[in-house]
Amino acid sequence: MTASHQMKLGAFLWATGHHIAAWRHPQAHVTAGIDIDHYIQLARTAEAAKFDMIFCEDAAGLREANINIASQTSRSIGFEPISLLSALAVQTSRIGLVSTASTSYNEPYGLARTFLSLDHLSGGRAGWNLVTSASPIEAANFGATGLKPHADRYERAREFAEVVTGLWHGGPSGHDGQSFSVRDPLDLPRSPQGAPVMVQAGASDVGRDLAARTADLVFTAAQTFEEAKAFYDDLKGRMAAYGREPDDIKIMPGVAPVVAETEAEARAKFEELQELIPDDVGVALLSSYLSIADLWRYPIDGPLPELPESEGMQSRQALVVEQSRRDGLSIRQLARHFAGARGHWRIVGTAAQVADALQERFEGGAADGFNVMPSYFPGELDAFCTLVVPELQRRGLFRKDYEGRTLREHLGLKRPAWLPAQA
Amino acid sequence: MGRKMHLAVSLDIASAAGEAGPTFGEIAASVRNAERAGINMVIICDTLPGGKRSTSLFEATTLVAALATVTERIGLLASASTVAHQPYNLARRFASLDIISHGRAGWNATMTQAPGEAGNFSRPQGFSDDDFRRRTAEYIGIVQGLWNGWDADALVFDKRGGRFHEPEKMRLLDHKGEFFSVRGPLNVARSPQDTPVLALSGLSEPDFDIAARTADVILLDDEPFEAAKTRHDELKRRAATSGRDPDAVKVLMNVSFSADDKPATVAGRMADRFQSKACDGFNIQLPARSSALDGFVDGVLPELRRGGLFREGYSGTILRSHLGLAVAGDQ
């Protein structure tokens, strides 16, 4: 079986774990956000398991406006991801290093230069996950009086991506656009992998178009096979309009597995985490993703209220609402359900059950790989690496060793020959 | 024990056009060499003066993050421009570097606009000198304010009680100024050395108040003795006027020397300046990939140590301790 028939895997590192109550778990490393050695160990674990990449989320601000709620989670503090990945770059040798950075609160010249430097430090293993930032908490740290409308953020992002890719390819001289002007080419040498890998996560209509045009890798959230398949087909279908082949983008939905030797153990492990979620924290997390501040006003055992159109994360909001209606969930149930995986796909079971589920989506044409979101660190990353990865390798679904040295090589991407489309 | 000088080494990682810049391995070897010699800190700058194009492989803050993982004691400063970064982002980057390095990081901010830089950051007109000065002063206030947003004992990690941090030990900045408005707080924990070290360079006389009020370290160009002494005394006086201990600001003088200079001559010149209190120490400017550092470490340093002017090794683990700057709870 050739590399192109094997799935790609990302290790999505986030604070003490992806489960909102992860930090309270007895085996979670609670000081993760101030312990660089912990992250070096996680990176080496993922590299030993031959993961394509480490993936870091980011927000330039607190995650939660209510300080009482924020203080019951571990997400108010952590490493800034570009410095974190720069440190990891020289403590690893093969694994890709992808960080999120916002097009709303950076300038393209500085961002292009910083990621290119990470690319040089790592010998061609860097990637940039483009986000437009939907949070008003972040906006308040950058002099903004309010969140910019969704369409404006994406127009700025489109120009930003165009300038960054242009700079990575040696140009442009004299960009003078709607949002940005750049006079010089970059003063760093060209990337060891052609250009850092471009990653995107927005799933709205304009987000998909931007991805179809510029992304090498797309991170997405999909609960069911049908949702994943519909997104996959839609995005790959948009690429021809930009002169690109479907295989030029790898689509990697997030997956939040809870795995153990037996199904009963996995369920017990998951229940143990769910029990640690305080109601007010679960509801706050849900309301932040739905961009409605007053969800706590509604009866917690009642259904989700009708929601107004929001300037926040439109596609993810739709996903959450649809799930709640489909399953007839109360706010409490949805909050708990959502808190565990933040709207991503959760699988609880044995290695064989997790591998079955991943295989179905991979072979069914709904995913090129998966961004793995362990519930808590380091235990659940270790469990995935020791239980699930060998099972995937046994089935020929995942590599036993790296084929190349750069992130582009791991992902089976062409060295970029394309140039950014002109506005 | 007599007064000891503070020594920084500025490593120039930028090469002239056409030459390949030094690799990470080469830079790391130089930094470890400086660490073995007990140098207080290295300062990494990734651009050439005067806005000339360079071929450095690395941007300074990312390089410092990597260097932090291959060194243990030496301080690591990165130059970063107030034009290239938003203050919130810059404050986060350096706060994070400080945790990665276990309290050895610092920011070298310049009071001088790099020619043409603003043209790459959607500001083709740049800033007038007055605007740039007021903007930089406001910027530094924001960054230092954000660094102080979390109390040292804010994180409690109480798994059983469900409290990760004490809500009242985190403060909003709520800054609204002429150039920026920043709510805060920072989403990075407090520095292991209280706050990252702030070094200011590129000063002219109108910047002295800002520097005396905010800087931990001031880097000044070499000047004839009388002028250097006057400048040093003036900065210390202004530090006292703004309510600080004059010794909380370390004035370092930039020096470079050539292979032709005799070590004893260099050491003698440094000793004169230091002993007559024209500075608290020196910032030795060297290329990252050359034997010049060896020349300094093997030739000049032993002379200084023989004269009792430079300490033998590190006494603490954080940069503030190397610099003799007070930190609550350390020392």
Side-chain angles (χ1 to χ4, degrees):
Chain A
M1 190 166 272
T2 64
S4 64
H5 293 107
Q6 293 186 327
M7 63 176 68
K8 309 301 172 191
L9 290 179
F12 187 163
L13 307 186
W14 198 13
T16 50
H18 286 272
H19 195 282
I20 188 69
W23 72 274
R24 300 186 65 192
H25 191 277
Q27 275 139 44
H29 188 65
V30 72
T31 58
I34 53 171
D35 184 356
I36 187 64
D37 293 332
H38 168 74
Y39 273 95
I40 291 172
Q41 189 52 52
L42 294 181
R44 289 179 175 165
T45 299
E47 186 169 70
K50 316 301 176 192
F51 270 77
D52 290 80
M53 61 182 180
I54 287 162
F55 181 92
C56 288
E57 239 278 12
D58 190 41
L62 296 187
R63 303 278 176 172
E64 169 58 52
N66 180 322
I67 301 306
N68 180 47
I69 299 290
S71 72
Q72 297 177 67
T73 77
S74 65
R75 292 175 180 175
S76 298
I77 58 107
F79 290 96
E80 181 274 330
I82 293 171
S83 45
L84 174 63
L85 292 184
S86 300
L88 298 181
V90 296
Q91 295 294 324
T92 55
S93 57
R94 301 297 275 274
I95 196 162
L97 305 161
V98 177
S99 173
T100 301
S102 169
T103 55
S104 294
Y105 309 122
N106 286 288
E107 283 280 321
Y109 191 88
L111 184 139
R113 191 166 186 267
T114 304
F115 275 90
L116 189 52
S117 180
L118 176 61
D119 212 25
H120 283 293
L121 278 171
S122 61
R125 297 183 282 131
W128 167 40
N129 178 39
L130 178 160
V131 297
T132 64
S133 300
S135 155
I137 305 175
E138 290 178 83
N141 289 327
F142 297 89
T145 48
L147 198 55
K148 290 205 172 67
H150 191 262
D152 292 359
R153 292 206 313 273
Y154 268 90
E155 183 47 35
R156 180 181 158 103
R158 190 198 57 73
E159 186 186 337
F160 196 117
E162 185 184 306
V163 175
V164 168
T165 50
L167 287 166
W168 284 340
H169 286 86
S173 277
H175 173 88
D176 188 7
Q178 188 72 34
S179 300
F180 307 107
S181 67
V182 174
R183 197 192 53 187
D184 301 317
L186 288 177
D187 53 358
L188 269 58
R190 291 286 296 272
S191 155
Q193 58 175 335
V197 169
M198 285 278 279
V199 186
Q200 280 179 49
S204 66
D205 193 54
V206 283
R208 291 181 197 205
D209 269 329
L210 182 60
R213 179 174 179 151
T214 60
D216 300 309
L217 186 66
V218 169
F219 177 41
T220 172
Q223 295 275 352
T224 65
F225 179 90
E226 290 70 28
E227 282 164 15
K229 176 77 177 154
F231 177 83
Y232 188 96
D233 290 342
D234 176 84
L235 183 59
K236 299 249 172 172
R238 291 175 192 237
M239 295 173 65
Y242 302 105
R244 304 181 69 197
E245 304 284 331
D247 210 34
D248 292 347
I249 291 183
K250 306 298 174 189
I251 298 177
M252 297 174 63
V255 58
V258 179
V259 62
E261 297 279 359
T262 68
E263 187 176 340
E265 280 176 67
R267 299 221 159 275
K269 189 151 70 171
F270 180 60
E271 281 312 313
E272 188 185 1
L273 280 163
Q274 292 292 84
E275 286 301 313
L276 295 172
I277 308 173
D279 280 336
D280 52 351
V281 171
V283 170
L285 189 72
L286 184 61
S287 66
S288 127
Y289 275 101
L290 296 177
S291 300
I292 43 168
D294 62 347
L295 194 56
W296 59 272
R297 290 180 194 280
Y298 295 89
I300 193 164
D301 290 312
L304 206 58
E306 291 299 324
L307 300 174
E309 270 281 301
S310 129
E311 287 298 341
M313 253 179 228
Q314 297 183 335
S315 46
R316 187 161 295 183
Q317 181 184 43
L319 204 68
V320 171
V321 173
E322 192 193 318
Q323 167 156 3
S324 144
R325 306 267 183 260
R326 188 173 58 226
D327 299 345
L329 297 176
S330 69
I331 291 176
R332 188 202 309 267
Q333 287 170 318
L334 182 65
R336 281 211 166 173
H337 185 77
F338 185 75
R342 295 179 296 119
H344 286 276
W345 178 34
R346 184 167 46 230
I347 317 169
V348 181
T350 63
Q353 288 170 321
V354 172
D356 285 348
L358 298 180
Q359 183 168 9
E360 186 198 5
R361 292 205 184 178
F362 176 65
E363 292 183 342
D368 296 313
F370 303 94
N371 210 1
V372 179
M373 305 165 63
S375 298
Y376 61 85
F377 291 106
E380 284 292 271
L381 178 64
D382 292 342
F384 191 89
C385 291
T386 55
L387 298 173
V388 180
V389 168
E391 178 64 21
L392 293 172
Q393 288 169 331
R394 203 181 53 73
R395 299 182 188 191
L397 290 167
F398 188 59
R399 69 167 69 84
K400 289 184 171 158
D401 200 359
Y402 291 108
E403 305 85 17
R405 295 221 155 254
T406 68
L407 177 54
R408 250 171 221 288
E409 286 169 329
H410 302 339
L411 294 170
L413 295 166
K414 290 183 247 180
R415 277 178 80 96
W418 49 276
L419 289 167
Q422 294 303 305
Chain B
M1 203 172 71
R3 180 170 159 260
K4 305 288 183 198
M5 65 172 64
H6 297 288
L7 291 178
V9 168
S10 271
L11 287 183
D12 180 5
I13 61 163
S15 303
E19 280 175 49
T23 63
F24 177 72
E26 289 168 329
I27 297 167
S30 286
V31 175
R32 283 195 293 251
N33 190 2
E35 185 173 60
R36 276 192 300 276
I39 299 288
N40 292 42
M41 58 194 185
V42 294
I43 304 173
I44 303 283
C45 180
D46 60 25
T47 53
L48 288 173
K52 282 182 296 206
R53 293 188 59 74
S54 75
T55 53
S56 159
L57 283 165
F58 310 112
E59 178 276 338
T61 63
T62 52
L63 178 60
V64 159
L67 288 170
T69 69
V70 298
T71 53
E72 288 174 0
R73 302 295 282 276
I74 194 164
L76 300 164
L77 269 64
S79 300
S81 149
T82 53
V83 172
H85 303 264
Q86 286 278 333
Y88 191 88
N89 292 339
L90 183 137
R92 276 184 87 201
R93 178 75 49 79
F94 280 92
S96 187
L97 291 176
D98 216 13
I99 294 173
I100 291 169
S101 65
H102 302 287
R104 297 183 287 127
W107 171 33
N108 178 25
T110 179
M111 299 301 301
T112 310
Q113 272 189 89
E117 185 186 32
N120 290 325
F121 290 87
S122 307
R123 296 264 193 174
Q125 282 82 40
F127 300 93
S128 73
D129 286 349
D130 269 359
D131 281 358
F132 187 76
R133 181 169 294 113
R134 289 200 317 285
R135 183 179 179 277
T136 307
E138 185 182 335
Y139 193 115
I140 287 169
I142 294 166
V143 169
Q144 290 186 320
L146 288 169
W147 284 342
N148 277 298
W150 293 83
D151 289 350
D153 56 353
L155 303 181
V156 290
F157 306 122
D158 179 4
K159 286 186 178 188
R160 196 174 287 269
R163 196 62 72 178
F164 189 83
H165 67 80
E166 298 287 359
E168 70 278 9
K169 291 184 175 174
M170 181 206 84
R171 280 171 305 279
L172 298 179
L173 183 68
D174 267 333
H175 171 88
K176 286 189 178 63
E178 181 184 359
F179 296 93
F180 303 101
S181 78
V182 180
R183 186 155 187 267
L186 214 56
N187 56 0
V188 180
R190 192 180 188 90
S191 156
Q193 56 172 341
D194 234 16
T195 62
V197 165
L198 173 68
L200 285 185
S201 53
L203 272 67
S204 49
E205 207 280 337
D207 303 314
F208 278 19
D209 274 334
I210 301 165
R213 199 174 65 237
T214 63
D216 299 305
V217 174
I218 298 174
L219 303 170
L220 296 172
D221 285 334
D222 198 5
E223 284 220 36
F225 175 77
E226 282 305 325
K229 173 74 179 154
T230 307
R231 194 177 55 178
H232 166 271
D233 292 350
E234 180 61 17
L235 282 164
K236 297 281 181 170
R237 188 188 66 76
R238 294 197 198 192
T241 307
S242 65
R244 301 178 77 195
D245 176 356
D247 209 36
V249 185
K250 304 299 178 188
V251 177
L252 306 193
M253 201 179 289
N254 297 328
V255 291
S256 49
F257 61 94
S258 75
D260 303 334
D261 293 326
K262 288 204 169 61
T265 314
V266 174
R269 207 168 67 210
M270 290 170 70
D272 282 350
R273 292 284 163 99
F274 177 69
Q275 284 172 322
S276 52
K277 297 195 177 173
C279 65
D280 298 306
F282 299 90
N283 173 31
I284 322 293
Q285 298 177 303
L286 296 168
R289 183 175 50 192
S290 84
S291 55
L293 180 60
D294 293 336
F296 182 76
V297 166
D298 299 334
V300 180
L301 269 192
E303 294 278 346
L304 294 172
R305 283 194 168 123
R306 260 195 294 281
L309 296 176
F310 188 58
R311 55 180 167 67
E312 288 298 324
Y314 300 106
S315 54
T317 58
I318 57 177
L319 176 55
R320 279 183 188 277
S321 143
H322 305 341
L323 289 167
L325 298 170
V327 179
D330 191 81
Q331 300 306 292

